[in-house]
Amino acid sequence: IAVRVGVSGSLEFGNSKYNLSDTTRTMALGENSFNTQSISLVGQYLVYPSPDARINVFFGGGPVFTFSRRYNDSKSISLEHYQVFISKGWGVGGVGVFGVEWFASMEFSLHAEYDVSLQYFWDRGSSEYRLTQGDRVLQTQENTSKSWRFYANSVKFGLSVYF
């Protein structure tokens, strides 16, 4: 039996250009940029069916808590306006893990594991549409959402230290 606590995070950012058109003319040209940050706190209770073996299969699970933030701005060159969108969200749920661990000694091991999680998310966001000239607000929008999110993560390899 083992208990693990961990923190993970992600950062995503990028930009793009767009050309919105119909069959007769170009309707809008623009640019879009975004960045997203996320941080999660995970606790896991692990069970080792054969704890004295050097090579061990393990499984377990526990709670996961997540905070995320997204910022997006979109500038339309031809329509002379831009939109800014900001959202923040919280998630709570559970994680399940399955893996194999090789104990090189009592203090160190190498392992490979796979985990999945299911979280319930609450998101709150706001948008503003503004004119590029004069910076006048054309429209504002507030939104909230609630959703279930399932994550099937990649296989992880690692070194564990026991004390």
Side-chain angles (χ1 to χ4, degrees):
I1 297 174
V3 176
R4 279 198 307 203
V5 177
V7 176
S8 65
S10 67
L11 174 63
E12 180 183 3
F13 55 92
N15 55 38
S16 62
K17 294 186 178 195
Y18 63 87
N19 179 356
L20 178 64
S21 59
D22 63 14
T23 56
T24 59
R25 64 186 167 90
T26 296
M27 297 165 49
L29 298 171
E31 301 174 342
N32 183 48
S33 66
F34 68 91
N35 66 67
T36 304
Q37 306 88 36
S38 173
I39 188 165
S40 295
L41 175 64
V42 180
Q44 294 175 339
Y45 180 81
L46 302 178
V47 175
Y48 293 82
S50 302
D52 295 330
R54 284 188 59 126
I55 297 176
N56 233 309
V57 171
F58 64 90
F59 59 91
V64 59
F65 304 96
T66 301
F67 174 75
S68 65
R69 180 188 175 277
R70 181 171 177 85
Y71 175 85
N72 186 76
D73 72 37
S74 181
K75 297 177 177 118
S76 171
I77 297 164
S78 55
L79 297 178
E80 298 180 349
H81 77 269
Y82 67 94
Q83 174 192 10
V84 175
F85 174 75
I86 298 172
S87 72
K88 294 178 182 173
W90 291 93
V92 62
V95 62
V97 64
F98 173 80
V100 177
E101 189 166 13
W102 172 65
F103 286 87
S105 71
M106 291 293 290
E107 294 84 20
F108 298 98
S109 70
L110 297 174
H111 67 272
E113 65 184 56
Y114 178 73
D115 66 78
V116 296
S117 66
L118 180 64
Q119 294 185 56
Y120 188 72
F121 257 83
W122 297 269
D123 287 300
R124 170 168 272 166
S126 63
S127 294
E128 279 190 355
Y129 294 89
R130 295 178 174 263
L131 287 176
T132 359
Q133 303 293 326
D135 205 33
R136 191 183 81 178
V137 176
L138 298 176
Q139 178 184 11
T140 59
Q141 178 180 337
E142 298 281 333
N143 62 317
T144 58
S145 66
K146 298 173 184 170
S147 61
W148 285 98
R149 297 182 186 178
F150 176 76
Y151 299 97
N153 299 311
S154 60
V155 174
K156 297 178 187 97
F157 298 94
L159 170 70
S160 293
V161 179
Y162 293 91
F163 48 93

